[in-house]
Amino acid sequence: MDLKEYLKNPDKEKLFENTFSEIKKIQEKYKPFITISEEHARKYLEEEKGDKDFLLPISVKDNICTKGIKTTAGSKILENYIPPFDATAIKKIKEVGYIIGKTKMDEFGFGTFCLNCAYGIPKNPYDVGRSCGGSSGGAACLTSALKLPHIAIAESTGGSISCPASFCGVVGLTPTYGLVSRYGLVDYASSLDKIGVIAKTCFEVAHGLTKIAGYDSKDSTSINRKSEDYTKYLKKDISKFRIGVPKEYFDNIDEEVKKEVWRAIKKLEGEGAKYEEISLPSTKFALPSYYIIAMSEASTNLARYCGIRYGMTKEIKGSYNEFFSEVRGEYFGEEVKRRILMGTFYRKAGYRDKYYLKALKVRGHIIKEFKNEFKKFDCILAPTMPIIAPKFTDIALLSPAQQYAMDILTVAPNLCGFPHLSVPCGKSNGMPVGLHLIGDHLQEGKILQLGSWV
Ligand code: GLN
């Protein structure tokens, strides 16, 4: 049953019972959750929203604050953190749903395969020997396995919604930077972080976005704009659509992935949309620019985890610096430490101009290049990921730099703050392939319109 059918004849008690009975089985098989919040959900449904006849199960990535429910960001350092407040996006979505649990993620969002979570690894429902993608791996895993109406609230910095959506065969929408409030999100890189939605269909994604979008005075980067009904764009005529297909986004891509993506583009052509091949020559600079900016911002954002204000702590011994190192040394994972070291290096006096400021300039250049194309095209299409979900045994052979390189297709739209949507467009070797639809700022409606035809 999907959300559309459910809306016609909602039975919230039945959906509640079915959901929890299903997710317990799913948790045993694929392990998408860090926390399942059944008691919390029951109480919310019965006591606070008893008068509402329509309510929906909502899962939340574990870096988004949920009042009264543990929020770890996938890290041991926040193992005991129970936020006393809801993130703005959660407050809004709770008008139409209840929180069923918190989903697994790479620690603080640092990863592409969801292997860097301090609370275990989710397994791909299509093949348990393969990754769910990262960093919102738990959200995509659950969405793929749960055959009931459900919306997953997730987050992307450099591809964390699109990548797992593509690997698990579900739909993932990353909105324009600033369209959804970041208030209550555990920061990774503040100029890149966006809260978005993962679900089984474009309808569910559009429904979720409609609820969480809109201005929030608590976030200084929030766009001054009201939300709108994004479901109204779905399945609208696309015969006037012009699509750009960047040739650089097909270099070094798995042949089967390429084939499925082209099949989808031809299908859209069959519906009346026109496509043209284009060139985005700065593509090769997107990855280094992204990683320099993301790590630089992450290294400052993580300074707050010092064992004093919140999170894990230890007995204070020696100097403050020794104490901070003790706490951080013990409770941060390996990838977090790597990124703190690299990010601090990029920002160091003497290196700032060479790395960080240069990366910002490159970012500006990439934005211009895309903006130029959006004068002619409604949407840019490409594969979401260069590969299908890889086997755990194959990922183990990759160096950190080789793992970062897998983000080559998702980092540019994230750097630019453009909305992007990954929709399943076929299969290779029994595994899902994702098509990436990138739109100009605030053109969520257009990418959903086109995506709904795929
Ligand atoms: N894989 C990218 C990274 O590790 C993106 C992750 C994300 O969007 N949080 O930074």
Side-chain angles (χ1 to χ4, degrees), residues 61 63 108-110 135-136 154-162 173-183 185-196 219-222 285-301 339 343 346 356 359-360 362-364 366-367 407 410-420 441 444:
K61 184 175 179 178
N63 59 350
F108 291 107
F110 301 162
S135 65
S136 317
E155 172 275 341
S156 169
T157 305
S160 275
I161 289 179
S162 291
L173 177 87
T174 307
T176 303
Y177 179 82
L179 182 64
V180 176
S181 168
R182 283 187 297 117
Y183 179 72
L185 171 69
V186 177
D187 296 311
Y188 168 172
S190 314
S191 80
L192 290 157
D193 299 340
K194 286 123 352 229
I195 293 179
D219 171 1
S220 62
T221 57
S222 179
F285 304 120
L287 203 58
S289 162
Y290 167 77
Y291 270 100
I292 290 170
I293 294 170
M295 289 183 187
S296 301
E297 291 185 19
S299 66
T300 66
N301 277 331
R339 294 192 185 206
Y346 297 139
Y356 183 63
L360 288 182
V362 170
R363 182 185 199 174
I366 296 171
I367 296 175
D407 298 336
T410 58
V411 286
N414 280 282
L415 270 176
C416 302
F418 291 136
H420 46 284
H441 293 130
E444 279 73 6

Coordinates of all heavy atoms in Angstrom, one line a residue, residues 61 63 108-110 135-136 154-162 173-183 185-196 219-222 285-301 339 343 346 356 359-360 362-364 366-367 407 410-420 441 444:
K61 N 16.6 10.5 10.3 CA 18.1 10.3 10.4 C 18.6 10.7 11.7 O 18.1 11.8 12.2 CB 18.7 11.0 9.2 CG 20.2 10.8 9.1 CD 20.8 11.5 7.8 CE 22.3 11.3 7.7 NZ 22.8 11.9 6.5
N63 N 20.9 12.4 12.9 CA 21.5 13.6 13.2 C 20.5 14.8 13.2 O 20.9 16.0 13.2 CB 22.6 14.0 12.1 CG 22.1 14.0 10.7 OD1 20.9 13.6 10.5 ND2 22.9 14.5 9.8
F108 N 28.4 11.5 11.9 CA 28.3 12.9 11.5 C 28.1 13.1 10.0 O 28.2 14.2 9.5 CB 29.5 13.7 12.0 CG 29.6 13.9 13.5 CD1 30.5 13.2 14.2 CD2 28.7 14.7 14.1 CE1 30.6 13.3 15.6 CE2 28.7 14.8 15.5 CZ 29.7 14.1 16.3
G109 N 27.8 12.0 9.3 CA 27.5 12.2 7.9 C 28.8 11.9 7.0 O 28.8 12.1 5.8
F110 N 29.8 11.4 7.7 CA 31.1 11.3 7.0 C 31.2 9.9 6.3 O 31.7 8.9 6.9 CB 32.3 11.4 8.0 CG 32.4 12.7 8.7 CD1 33.1 12.9 9.8 CD2 31.7 13.8 8.2 CE1 33.2 14.1 10.5 CE2 31.8 15.1 8.9 CZ 32.5 15.2 10.0
S135 N 25.5 9.1 3.4 CA 25.5 8.6 4.8 C 24.1 8.3 5.3 O 24.0 7.6 6.3 CB 26.1 9.8 5.6 OG 25.3 10.9 5.6
S136 N 23.0 8.6 4.6 CA 21.7 8.2 5.1 C 21.3 6.8 4.8 O 20.2 6.5 4.3 CB 20.6 9.2 4.6 OG 21.0 10.5 4.6
A154 N 15.7 12.8 6.0 CA 17.2 12.5 5.9 C 17.9 13.8 5.7 O 17.3 14.9 5.8 CB 17.4 11.5 4.8
E155 N 19.2 13.7 5.4 CA 20.0 14.9 5.2 C 21.1 14.7 4.3 O 21.7 13.6 4.2 CB 20.5 15.4 6.6 CG 21.5 16.5 6.6 CD 22.9 16.0 6.4 OE1 23.2 14.8 6.6 OE2 23.8 16.9 6.0
S156 N 21.5 15.7 3.5 CA 22.6 15.6 2.6 C 23.6 16.8 2.7 O 23.1 17.9 2.8 CB 22.1 15.5 1.1 OG 23.2 15.6 0.2
T157 N 24.8 16.4 2.7 CA 25.9 17.5 2.6 C 26.5 17.4 1.2 O 26.7 18.5 0.6 CB 26.9 17.2 3.7 OG1 26.2 17.1 5.0 CG2 28.0 18.3 3.8
G158 N 26.8 16.2 0.8 CA 27.5 16.1 -0.5 C 26.9 14.9 -1.4 O 27.5 14.5 -2.3
G159 N 25.7 14.4 -1.0 CA 25.2 13.3 -1.7 C 24.5 12.3 -0.9 O 24.1 11.2 -1.4
S160 N 24.4 12.6 0.4 CA 23.9 11.5 1.4 C 22.4 11.2 1.3 O 22.0 10.2 1.9 CB 24.1 12.1 2.8 OG 25.4 11.7 3.2
I161 N 21.7 11.9 0.4 CA 20.3 11.4 0.2 C 20.3 10.7 -1.1 O 19.7 9.6 -1.2 CB 19.3 12.6 0.2 CG1 19.2 13.2 1.6 CG2 18.0 12.3 -0.4 CD1 18.3 14.4 1.7
S162 N 20.9 11.3 -2.2 CA 20.8 10.6 -3.5 C 21.5 9.3 -3.5 O 21.0 8.3 -4.1 CB 21.5 11.6 -4.5 OG 20.7 12.7 -4.7
L173 N 15.0 13.1 -2.3 CA 15.0 14.6 -2.7 C 15.8 15.4 -1.8 O 15.6 15.4 -0.6 CB 13.6 15.1 -2.8 CG 13.6 16.6 -3.1 CD1 13.6 16.8 -4.6 CD2 12.5 17.4 -2.5
T174 N 16.8 16.1 -2.3 CA 17.6 17.1 -1.6 C 17.1 18.4 -2.1 O 17.3 18.8 -3.2 CB 19.1 16.9 -1.9 OG1 19.5 15.5 -1.7 CG2 20.0 17.8 -1.0
P175 N 16.5 19.2 -1.2 CA 16.0 20.5 -1.6 C 17.1 21.6 -1.8 O 18.2 21.4 -1.4 CB 15.1 20.9 -0.5 CG 15.2 20.0 0.6 CD 16.3 19.0 0.2
T176 N 16.7 22.7 -2.4 CA 17.6 23.9 -2.5 C 18.1 24.2 -1.1 O 17.3 24.2 -0.1 CB 16.7 25.1 -3.0 OG1 16.1 24.7 -4.2 CG2 17.6 26.3 -3.1
Y177 N 19.4 24.6 -1.0 CA 20.0 25.0 0.3 C 19.1 26.1 0.9 O 18.9 27.2 0.2 CB 21.4 25.5 0.1 CG 22.1 25.9 1.3 CD1 22.6 25.0 2.2 CD2 22.1 27.3 1.7 CE1 23.2 25.4 3.4 CE2 22.7 27.7 2.9 CZ 23.2 26.7 3.7 OH 23.8 27.1 4.9
G178 N 18.7 26.0 2.1 CA 17.9 27.1 2.7 C 16.4 26.9 2.6 O 15.7 27.7 3.3
L179 N 15.9 26.0 1.8 CA 14.4 25.8 1.7 C 13.8 25.2 2.9 O 12.7 25.4 3.3 CB 14.1 25.1 0.4 CG 12.6 24.9 0.1 CD1 11.9 26.2 -0.1 CD2 12.3 23.9 -1.0
V180 N 14.6 24.2 3.5 CA 14.2 23.5 4.7 C 15.1 24.0 5.8 O 16.3 24.0 5.7 CB 14.2 22.0 4.5 CG1 13.9 21.3 5.8 CG2 13.3 21.5 3.4
S181 N 14.5 24.4 7.0 CA 15.3 24.9 8.1 C 16.3 23.8 8.6 O 16.0 22.7 8.7 CB 14.4 25.3 9.2 OG 15.2 25.6 10.4
R182 N 17.5 24.3 8.9 CA 18.6 23.4 9.5 C 18.5 23.5 11.0 O 19.4 22.9 11.7 CB 20.0 23.9 9.0 CG 20.3 23.5 7.6 CD 21.7 23.8 7.3 NE 22.0 25.2 7.3 CZ 22.9 25.8 8.1 NH1 23.5 25.1 9.0 NH2 23.1 27.1 8.1
Y183 N 17.6 24.3 11.6 CA 17.6 24.4 13.0 C 17.3 23.0 13.7 O 16.4 22.4 13.3 CB 16.5 25.4 13.5 CG 16.4 25.5 14.9 CD1 17.4 26.2 15.7 CD2 15.4 25.0 15.7 CE1 17.4 26.3 17.0 CE2 15.3 25.1 17.0 CZ 16.3 25.8 17.7 OH 16.2 25.9 19.1
L185 N 19.6 20.5 13.4 CA 20.4 19.5 12.7 C 21.8 19.5 13.3 O 22.3 20.6 13.5 CB 20.4 19.9 11.2 CG 21.4 19.0 10.3 CD1 20.9 17.6 10.2 CD2 21.6 19.7 8.9
V186 N 22.3 18.3 13.5 CA 23.7 18.2 14.0 C 24.6 18.6 12.8 O 24.6 17.8 11.8 CB 24.0 16.8 14.6 CG1 25.4 16.7 15.0 CG2 23.1 16.5 15.7
D187 N 25.3 19.7 12.9 CA 26.1 20.2 11.7 C 27.2 19.2 11.3 O 27.9 18.6 12.1 CB 26.8 21.5 12.1 CG 25.9 22.6 12.4 OD1 24.9 22.8 11.6 OD2 26.1 23.2 13.5
Y188 N 27.3 19.1 10.0 CA 28.5 18.5 9.3 C 29.2 19.7 8.8 O 30.2 20.2 9.3 CB 28.0 17.5 8.3 CG 29.1 17.0 7.3 CD1 28.8 16.0 6.4 CD2 30.4 17.5 7.3 CE1 29.7 15.5 5.5 CE2 31.3 17.0 6.4 CZ 31.0 16.0 5.5 OH 31.9 15.5 4.6
A189 N 28.8 20.3 7.6 CA 29.4 21.5 7.0 C 28.2 22.4 6.8 O 27.4 22.2 5.9 CB 30.1 21.1 5.7
S190 N 28.2 23.5 7.5 CA 27.0 24.4 7.6 C 26.6 25.0 6.2 O 25.5 25.2 6.0 CB 27.2 25.5 8.6 OG 27.7 24.9 9.8
S191 N 27.6 25.3 5.3 CA 27.2 25.9 4.1 C 26.7 24.8 3.1 O 26.4 25.2 1.9 CB 28.4 26.6 3.5 OG 29.3 25.8 2.8
L192 N 26.7 23.6 3.5 CA 26.3 22.5 2.5 C 25.1 21.7 3.0 O 24.5 21.0 2.2 CB 27.5 21.6 2.3 CG 28.7 22.1 1.5 CD1 30.0 21.3 1.9 CD2 28.5 22.0 0.0
D193 N 24.9 21.7 4.3 CA 23.9 20.7 4.9 C 22.4 21.1 4.5 O 22.0 22.2 4.6 CB 23.9 20.8 6.4 CG 25.3 20.3 7.0 OD1 26.0 19.7 6.2 OD2 25.6 20.6 8.2
K194 N 21.7 20.1 4.1 CA 20.3 20.3 3.7 C 19.5 19.1 4.2 O 19.8 17.9 4.0 CB 20.1 20.3 2.2 CG 20.6 21.5 1.5 CD 21.6 21.4 0.4 CE 22.3 20.1 0.1 NZ 23.8 20.2 0.0
I195 N 18.4 19.4 4.9 CA 17.4 18.3 5.3 C 16.5 18.0 4.1 O 16.0 19.0 3.5 CB 16.6 18.7 6.6 CG1 17.6 18.8 7.8 CG2 15.5 17.7 6.9 CD1 16.9 19.3 9.1
G196 N 16.3 16.8 3.8 CA 15.4 16.4 2.7 C 14.6 15.1 3.0 O 14.5 14.7 4.2
D219 N 16.9 29.8 11.7 CA 18.0 29.5 10.9 C 18.4 30.7 10.0 O 17.6 31.1 9.2 CB 17.6 28.3 10.0 CG 18.6 27.9 8.9 OD1 19.7 28.6 8.8 OD2 18.4 27.0 8.1
S220 N 19.6 31.2 10.2 CA 19.9 32.5 9.5 C 20.1 32.3 8.0 O 20.2 33.3 7.3 CB 21.2 33.1 10.1 OG 22.2 32.2 10.0
T221 N 20.2 31.1 7.6 CA 20.3 30.8 6.1 C 19.0 30.4 5.5 O 19.0 30.0 4.3 CB 21.4 29.8 5.8 OG1 21.1 28.6 6.5 CG2 22.8 30.2 6.3
S222 N 17.9 30.5 6.2 CA 16.6 30.0 5.7 C 16.1 31.0 4.7 O 16.2 32.2 4.8 CB 15.7 30.0 6.9 OG 14.4 29.6 6.5
F285 N 36.8 19.5 -11.0 CA 37.2 20.2 -9.8 C 36.2 20.1 -8.7 O 36.5 20.6 -7.6 CB 37.5 21.7 -10.2 CG 38.4 21.9 -11.3 CD1 38.1 22.5 -12.5 CD2 39.8 21.4 -11.2 CE1 39.0 22.6 -13.6 CE2 40.6 21.6 -12.3 CZ 40.3 22.2 -13.4
A286 N 35.1 19.6 -8.9 CA 34.0 19.6 -7.9 C 34.4 18.7 -6.7 O 34.2 19.2 -5.6 CB 32.7 19.1 -8.5
L287 N 35.0 17.6 -6.9 CA 35.4 16.7 -5.8 C 36.4 17.3 -4.9 O 36.1 17.4 -3.7 CB 35.8 15.4 -6.4 CG 35.7 14.1 -5.6 CD1 34.3 13.9 -5.1 CD2 36.3 12.9 -6.3
P288 N 37.6 17.8 -5.4 CA 38.5 18.4 -4.4 C 37.9 19.6 -3.7 O 38.1 19.8 -2.5 CB 39.7 18.7 -5.3 CG 39.3 18.5 -6.7 CD 38.1 17.6 -6.7
S289 N 37.2 20.4 -4.5 CA 36.6 21.6 -3.9 C 35.6 21.2 -2.8 O 35.7 21.8 -1.7 CB 35.9 22.4 -5.0 OG 35.0 23.3 -4.4
Y290 N 34.8 20.2 -3.0 CA 33.8 19.8 -2.0 C 34.5 19.3 -0.8 O 34.2 19.7 0.4 CB 32.9 18.7 -2.6 CG 32.2 18.0 -1.5 CD1 31.0 18.6 -0.9 CD2 32.6 16.7 -1.0 CE1 30.4 18.0 0.2 CE2 31.9 16.1 0.1 CZ 30.8 16.7 0.6 OH 30.2 16.1 1.7
Y291 N 35.5 18.4 -0.9 CA 36.1 17.8 0.2 C 36.9 18.8 1.1 O 37.0 18.7 2.3 CB 36.9 16.5 -0.1 CG 36.0 15.3 -0.1 CD1 35.5 14.8 -1.2 CD2 35.7 14.8 1.2 CE1 34.6 13.7 -1.1 CE2 34.8 13.7 1.3 CZ 34.3 13.1 0.1 OH 33.4 12.1 0.2
I292 N 37.5 19.8 0.4 CA 38.2 20.8 1.2 C 37.3 21.6 2.0 O 37.4 21.9 3.2 CB 39.1 21.7 0.2 CG1 40.3 20.9 -0.3 CG2 39.6 22.9 0.9 CD1 41.0 21.5 -1.5
I293 N 36.2 22.1 1.3 CA 35.2 22.9 2.1 C 34.5 22.1 3.2 O 34.4 22.5 4.3 CB 34.2 23.5 1.1 CG1 34.8 24.5 0.1 CG2 33.0 24.2 1.8 CD1 34.0 24.9 -1.1
A294 N 34.1 20.9 2.8 CA 33.3 20.1 3.8 C 34.2 19.8 5.0 O 33.7 19.9 6.1 CB 32.8 18.8 3.1
M295 N 35.4 19.4 4.7 CA 36.3 19.0 5.9 C 36.7 20.2 6.7 O 36.8 20.2 7.9 CB 37.5 18.3 5.4 CG 37.2 16.9 4.9 SD 38.7 16.0 4.4 CE 38.1 14.5 3.7
S296 N 36.9 21.4 6.0 CA 37.2 22.6 6.8 C 36.1 23.0 7.7 O 36.3 23.2 8.9 CB 37.5 23.7 5.8 OG 38.6 23.4 4.9
E297 N 34.9 23.0 7.2 CA 33.7 23.4 8.0 C 33.5 22.3 9.1 O 33.2 22.7 10.2 CB 32.5 23.5 7.1 CG 32.6 24.8 6.2 CD 31.3 25.0 5.5 OE1 30.2 24.5 5.8 OE2 31.4 25.8 4.4
A298 N 33.7 21.0 8.7 CA 33.4 20.0 9.7 C 34.4 20.1 10.9 O 34.0 20.0 12.1 CB 33.6 18.6 9.1
S299 N 35.6 20.4 10.6 CA 36.6 20.5 11.7 C 36.3 21.6 12.7 O 36.6 21.5 13.9 CB 38.1 20.6 11.1 OG 38.2 21.9 10.5
T300 N 35.7 22.7 12.2 CA 35.4 23.7 13.2 C 34.1 23.3 13.9 O 33.9 23.5 15.1 CB 35.2 25.1 12.6 OG1 34.1 25.1 11.7 CG2 36.4 25.6 11.8
N301 N 33.1 22.8 13.2 CA 31.9 22.4 13.8 C 32.0 21.4 14.9 O 31.3 21.3 15.9 CB 30.9 21.8 12.8 CG 30.1 22.9 12.0 OD1 29.9 24.0 12.6 ND2 29.7 22.7 10.8
R339 N 39.1 13.5 9.2 CA 38.6 14.8 8.7 C 38.9 16.0 9.5 O 39.1 17.1 9.0 CB 37.0 14.6 8.5 CG 36.8 13.5 7.4 CD 35.4 13.5 6.9 NE 35.2 12.4 6.0 CZ 34.3 12.4 5.1 NH1 33.4 13.4 4.9 NH2 34.2 11.4 4.3
G343 N 40.8 18.9 7.7 CA 40.1 20.2 7.7 C 40.9 21.2 8.4 O 40.9 22.4 7.9
Y346 N 43.7 22.4 6.1 CA 43.3 23.3 5.0 C 43.0 24.7 5.4 O 43.1 25.6 4.6 CB 42.0 22.8 4.3 CG 42.0 21.4 3.7 CD1 41.0 20.5 3.8 CD2 43.1 21.1 2.9 CE1 41.0 19.3 3.2 CE2 43.2 19.8 2.3 CZ 42.1 18.9 2.5 OH 42.2 17.7 1.9
Y356 N 41.7 26.3 1.1 CA 40.3 26.7 1.4 C 39.7 27.8 0.5 O 38.7 27.6 -0.1 CB 40.2 27.1 2.9 CG 38.8 27.4 3.3 CD1 37.8 26.3 3.3 CD2 38.4 28.6 3.8 CE1 36.5 26.6 3.7 CE2 37.1 28.9 4.1 CZ 36.1 27.8 4.1 OH 34.8 28.1 4.4
A359 N 39.3 26.7 -3.0 CA 38.1 25.8 -3.1 C 36.8 26.6 -3.2 O 35.9 26.3 -4.0 CB 38.1 24.8 -2.0
L360 N 36.8 27.7 -2.4 CA 35.6 28.5 -2.5 C 35.4 29.2 -3.9 O 34.3 29.3 -4.4 CB 35.7 29.6 -1.4 CG 35.5 29.2 0.0 CD1 35.5 30.4 1.0 CD2 34.1 28.5 0.2
V362 N 36.6 28.0 -6.7 CA 36.1 26.9 -7.6 C 34.6 26.7 -7.5 O 33.9 26.6 -8.5 CB 36.9 25.6 -7.4 CG1 36.3 24.4 -8.1 CG2 38.4 25.8 -7.7
R363 N 34.2 26.7 -6.3 CA 32.7 26.5 -6.0 C 31.9 27.6 -6.8 O 30.9 27.3 -7.4 CB 32.5 26.6 -4.5 CG 31.0 26.4 -4.1 CD 30.9 26.6 -2.6 NE 29.7 26.0 -2.1 CZ 29.3 26.0 -0.8 NH1 30.1 26.5 0.1 NH2 28.2 25.4 -0.4
G364 N 32.4 28.8 -6.7 CA 31.7 29.9 -7.4 C 31.7 29.7 -8.9 O 30.6 29.9 -9.6
I366 N 31.8 26.8 -10.5 CA 30.9 25.6 -10.8 C 29.5 26.1 -10.8 O 28.7 25.8 -11.7 CB 31.1 24.5 -9.8 CG1 32.5 23.9 -9.9 CG2 30.1 23.4 -10.0 CD1 32.9 22.9 -8.9
I367 N 29.1 27.0 -9.8 CA 27.8 27.5 -9.8 C 27.4 28.3 -11.1 O 26.4 28.1 -11.7 CB 27.5 28.4 -8.6 CG1 27.7 27.6 -7.3 CG2 26.2 29.1 -8.6 CD1 27.6 28.4 -6.0
D407 N 31.9 9.9 -4.9 CA 30.9 11.0 -4.8 C 31.0 12.0 -6.0 O 30.3 13.0 -6.0 CB 31.1 11.8 -3.6 CG 31.0 11.0 -2.3 OD1 30.3 10.0 -2.4 OD2 31.6 11.4 -1.3
T410 N 27.7 13.4 -7.3 CA 26.7 14.1 -6.4 C 27.2 15.4 -5.8 O 26.4 16.2 -5.3 CB 26.3 13.1 -5.3 OG1 27.4 12.7 -4.5 CG2 25.5 11.9 -5.8
V411 N 28.5 15.6 -5.8 CA 29.0 16.7 -5.0 C 28.7 18.1 -5.7 O 28.4 19.1 -4.9 CB 30.6 16.7 -4.7 CG1 30.8 15.6 -3.7 CG2 31.4 16.4 -6.0
A412 N 28.7 18.2 -7.0 CA 28.5 19.5 -7.6 C 27.1 20.1 -7.3 O 27.0 21.2 -6.8 CB 28.7 19.4 -9.1
P413 N 26.0 19.3 -7.5 CA 24.7 20.0 -7.1 C 24.6 20.4 -5.6 O 24.0 21.3 -5.3 CB 23.7 18.9 -7.5 CG 24.4 17.6 -7.7 CD 25.8 18.0 -8.1
N414 N 25.3 19.6 -4.8 CA 25.4 20.0 -3.4 C 26.2 21.2 -3.1 O 25.8 22.1 -2.3 CB 25.9 18.8 -2.5 CG 24.8 17.7 -2.3 OD1 24.0 17.9 -1.4 ND2 24.9 16.7 -3.1
L415 N 27.3 21.3 -3.8 CA 28.1 22.5 -3.6 C 27.4 23.8 -4.1 O 27.5 24.9 -3.5 CB 29.4 22.4 -4.6 CG 30.6 21.8 -4.0 CD1 31.7 21.7 -5.2 CD2 31.2 22.5 -2.8
C416 N 26.5 23.6 -5.1 CA 25.8 24.7 -5.7 C 24.5 25.0 -4.9 O 23.8 26.0 -5.2 CB 25.5 24.5 -7.2 SG 26.9 24.1 -8.2
G417 N 24.1 24.1 -4.1 CA 22.8 24.3 -3.4 C 21.6 24.1 -4.3 O 20.5 24.5 -4.0
F418 N 21.8 23.3 -5.4 CA 20.7 23.1 -6.3 C 19.8 21.9 -5.8 O 20.4 20.9 -5.3 CB 21.2 22.7 -7.7 CG 21.9 23.8 -8.5 CD1 23.1 23.6 -9.1 CD2 21.3 25.0 -8.5 CE1 23.7 24.6 -9.8 CE2 21.9 26.1 -9.2 CZ 23.1 25.8 -9.9
P419 N 18.5 21.9 -6.0 CA 17.7 20.8 -5.7 C 18.0 19.6 -6.6 O 18.3 19.8 -7.8 CB 16.3 21.3 -5.9 CG 16.4 22.3 -6.9 CD 17.7 23.0 -6.7
H420 N 18.0 18.4 -6.0 CA 18.3 17.3 -6.9 C 17.5 16.1 -6.4 O 17.2 15.9 -5.2 CB 19.8 17.0 -7.1 CG 20.6 17.0 -5.8 ND1 20.9 18.2 -5.2 CD2 21.1 16.0 -5.0 CE1 21.6 17.9 -4.1 NE2 21.7 16.6 -4.0
H441 N 18.0 26.6 -8.6 CA 17.5 26.9 -7.3 C 16.0 27.1 -7.2 O 15.4 27.7 -8.1 CB 18.1 28.2 -6.8 CG 19.6 28.1 -6.6 ND1 20.6 28.9 -7.1 CD2 20.3 27.1 -5.9 CE1 21.8 28.5 -6.7 NE2 21.7 27.4 -6.0
E444 N 12.2 22.8 -7.3 CA 11.9 21.4 -6.8 C 10.7 20.9 -7.6 O 10.6 19.7 -8.0 CB 11.5 21.5 -5.4 CG 12.6 21.5 -4.4 CD 13.4 22.8 -4.3 OE1 13.0 23.8 -4.9 OE2 14.4 22.8 -3.6

